[in-house]
Amino acid sequence: MKSALLAKISFWLIVIGSMALLTPEPAWPEWLARMLLSAGVALGVTTIGVLIWQRHGGNSEK
């Protein structure tokens, strides 16, 4: 997958998870909102890490 798509998915997981936790009477269980939020954060951190690794020559084949 392209990193831009992963970043978009990560962003929306974070937004949806945050809104589900901040809603006074959420339609989702709290564990599901926390799972979406943590999955979004983990995907975002992984995407940023892979981008940094690729830019610094981590995938160079000599």
Side-chain angles (χ1 to χ4, degrees):
M1 288 183 145
K2 298 286 185 188
S3 58
L5 177 61
L6 292 175
K8 288 178 185 177
I9 293 171
S10 171
F11 172 77
W12 285 112
L13 284 174
I14 291 171
V15 168
I16 291 169
S18 299
M19 290 300 122
L21 283 175
L22 295 175
T23 309
E25 293 182 21
W28 296 355
E30 185 178 349
W31 65 267
L32 185 59
R34 289 184 187 274
M35 186 176 71
L36 282 175
L37 185 59
S38 62
V41 170
L43 185 61
V45 168
T46 303
T47 303
I48 291 170
V50 167
L51 283 173
I52 291 171
W53 182 64
Q54 287 177 346
R55 289 204 176 131
H56 287 299
N59 61 349
S60 61
E61 296 177 11
K62 295 181 180 180

